[in-house]
Amino acid sequence: MARVKPQYDNTSISSLKGADRVRKRPGVIFGSDGLDGCEHAVFEILSNAIDEAKEGYGNLITVRRFLDKSIEVADQGRGCPVDWNEKEQKFNWELVFCELYAGGKYSGGKDNYEYALGLNGLGSCATQYASEYMDVTVRRDGRKYSLRFEKGENVGGLRDEPTDQGKKTGTTIRWQPDLDVFTDIDIPVEYYTDVMKRQAVVNAGVTFRLLNETAPGKFEAADFLYENGIQDYVKELAGENTLTQPVFWQTERRGRDREDKPEYKVKLSVSFCFSNTVNIIEYYHNSSWLEHGGSPEKAAKSAFVSAIDAYLRQQGKYQKGESKVTWNDIADCLVMVSNNFSTQTSYENQTKKAINNKFVQEAMTGFLKSQMEVYFIENPFDAEKIAEQVLINKR
């Protein structure tokens, strides 16, 4: 008997609503419905705490990893606004935790969060929707506000009472990723240590404290703190036996990605040294580790190849007919970390693993190239060592 094909007509079109927009399609928001998607949901909540610390509100972020696979993130920030919003005619807690594309980071750098990691207004709501439960505690304005969500739905509304911690402010969120949404929620402790260490690197002076529950009620503590940010990190990565001593450069630029686009600011910073035993290169933007690089990676490749090639030609280091050095020749002996911030950021997608800002690339290329030229003039012995090692790698 022939199978009857379903009709495709005007009754076939439907839309996902409310929590189902995330619960039934988590990969769209988190990049995957597997463990890496679950990990990204954690990073979304952590990002909000980081943005508060970056703005100067608190210098301690605490993450608790519980045996039951629930997670808690606590900051010392101003406390997420949760009360009535006259302009939107809704409670702010509804906007933050129940509305996609809502938040306090749409002002283009004019008010709060000039260099924010979380910009899309998705994270808190999407993670809430993807949770079995989420408990939120906010302390601000002398009050303690409490919220509970279960499978994307609020339970009990907003509870408001006098604060129990004096003048202390901040937001604490505990939630359980939902196995109905993700195929795996058993996030290993190594994920937390890696992410929190990286965030300590690019948020100088902020302590990231991990409390890992190893037995009921018992936690192992680990603190991650880099007082001088990427400078200390590069020294740690490179070790003692380096060809050159680590340097640190920073600047600020203004520009636009296209003539008809608005102008924005970018803060550029890089620390690097050369080594014949270690080669590590990492790029960060607005605190997000750019695993896939994008604009900063293209800038570094262009600037270093151009500057070193120019030096080799000026000094007559090339053999007759020899081709110019490549990025791989340089990268094989380079330990470098870049840490940039911009008031407008074009991430390739919500997972924030690469950016494609044209102006960031142009500004970073020009800055690195000019700094390298000065560096070679002021440090001739280092320049010789770099040239020799790069040519060894090439040949």
Side-chain angles (χ1 to χ4, degrees):
M1 182 177 178
R3 184 173 68 88
V4 177
K5 295 183 179 180
Q7 284 187 322
Y8 182 65
D9 55 24
N10 286 326
T11 66
S12 303
I13 307 300
S14 62
S15 64
L16 294 174
K17 299 176 179 63
D20 283 347
R21 290 174 291 174
V22 174
R23 295 181 67 81
K24 291 189 175 181
R25 296 291 185 273
V28 174
I29 301 295
F30 303 117
S32 164
D33 66 351
L35 186 62
D36 53 345
C38 186
E39 290 171 346
H40 186 71
V42 173
F43 189 67
E44 289 292 344
I45 301 299
L46 182 61
S47 297
N48 293 328
I50 292 168
D51 285 338
E52 279 292 285
K54 196 186 302 176
E55 290 291 304
Y57 300 102
N59 58 7
L60 172 65
I61 295 172
T62 303
V63 177
R64 285 179 171 83
R65 176 182 182 266
F66 294 92
L67 287 172
D68 65 0
K69 301 178 181 60
S70 64
I71 306 111
E72 181 181 276
V73 176
D75 64 44
Q76 299 175 330
R78 291 164 289 185
C80 176
V82 291
D83 224 328
W84 182 253
N85 186 318
E86 188 66 29
K87 181 179 69 175
E88 298 289 341
Q89 289 295 295
K90 282 187 175 183
F91 281 93
N92 279 313
W93 68 260
E94 295 178 275
L95 296 171
V96 172
F97 294 103
C98 303
E99 291 276 354
L100 296 174
Y101 300 103
K105 303 173 184 177
Y106 289 125
S107 59
K110 296 178 183 178
D111 298 305
N112 292 317
Y113 304 114
E114 186 174 36
Y115 298 109
L117 172 54
L119 287 172
N120 296 330
L122 293 171
S124 297
C125 175
T127 301
Q128 188 275 110
Y129 279 162
S131 300
E132 185 174 327
Y133 72 84
M134 176 181 280
D135 291 321
V136 180
T137 303
V138 173
R139 291 179 175 83
R140 62 175 290 139
D141 305 323
R143 310 296 297 176
K144 175 185 174 183
Y145 301 95
S146 303
L147 291 158
R148 181 171 177 89
F149 303 90
E150 295 179 3
K151 293 186 178 292
E153 299 293 332
N154 175 249
V155 178
L158 179 67
R159 294 179 294 283
D160 177 1
E161 58 190 306
T163 184
D164 56 352
Q165 292 191 5
K167 294 183 179 181
K168 290 183 179 180
T169 60
T171 302
T172 300
I173 299 177
R174 180 173 177 176
W175 77 101
Q176 178 113 48
D178 198 337
L179 275 170
D180 289 340
V181 177
F182 300 107
T183 58
D184 189 355
I185 64 170
D186 191 9
I187 301 174
V189 68
E190 290 77 17
Y191 168 80
Y192 293 95
T193 56
D194 179 67
V195 167
M196 294 174 72
K197 178 176 180 177
R198 291 184 186 279
Q199 289 308 311
V201 165
V202 294
N203 292 283
V206 178
T207 298
F208 289 78
R209 178 166 296 158
L210 174 62
L211 299 176
N212 180 42
E213 191 174 29
T214 55
K218 294 184 178 181
F219 294 84
E220 287 185 351
D223 281 2
F224 303 92
L225 170 65
Y226 288 83
E227 289 288 357
N228 299 302
I230 61 173
Q231 300 176 70
D232 291 344
Y233 185 47
V234 166
K235 290 177 182 178
E236 176 184 294
L237 292 174
E240 296 182 358
N241 299 318
T242 57
L243 290 174
T244 65
Q245 290 300 306
V247 299
F248 175 76
W249 298 334
Q250 63 180 344
T251 190
E252 193 167 307
R253 298 280 192 271
R254 299 187 71 96
R256 44 176 55 92
D257 293 324
R258 210 170 63 196
E259 283 300 317
D260 60 332
K261 292 291 185 179
E263 186 178 75
Y264 62 92
K265 290 195 300 185
V266 60
K267 290 170 64 176
L268 305 171
S269 66
V270 62
S271 184
F272 72 88
C273 67
F274 283 83
S275 169
N276 55 12
T277 58
V278 180
N279 62 301
I280 298 174
I281 300 171
E282 295 179 0
Y283 307 97
Y284 295 85
H285 194 90
N286 286 7
S287 296
S288 186
W289 175 36
L290 303 181
E291 294 179 67
H292 301 156
S295 298
E297 181 178 29
K298 293 175 182 177
K301 288 181 177 180
S302 176
F304 274 86
V305 170
S306 177
I308 293 176
D309 172 62
Y311 177 82
L312 292 172
R313 292 186 186 281
Q314 291 167 4
Q315 301 298 317
K317 299 288 186 180
Y318 284 125
Q319 296 173 358
K320 186 176 180 179
E322 187 176 16
S323 61
K324 66 184 288 186
V325 293
T326 67
W327 171 244
N328 287 339
D329 302 327
I330 298 166
D332 279 348
C333 56
L334 181 62
V335 180
M336 185 188 78
V337 178
S338 74
N339 183 28
N340 302 333
F341 296 90
S342 64
T343 53
Q344 290 186 26
T345 306
S346 298
Y347 291 104
E348 287 191 357
N349 53 49
Q350 174 63 11
T351 58
K352 302 183 178 75
K353 294 182 179 180
I355 67 166
N356 52 29
N357 292 64
K358 184 180 179 181
F359 171 64
V360 172
Q361 180 178 335
E362 292 172 348
M364 185 172 174
T365 301
F367 174 63
L368 288 179
K369 184 178 177 182
S370 62
Q371 288 292 109
M372 284 295 293
E373 291 169 354
V374 173
Y375 177 79
F376 285 153
I377 294 172
E378 295 181 346
N379 301 275
F381 295 113
D382 285 351
E384 282 294 307
K385 286 188 284 186
I386 292 168
E388 180 181 343
Q389 186 60 53
V390 169
L391 288 175
I392 288 173
N393 295 343
K394 180 182 186 302
R395 294 165 181 169

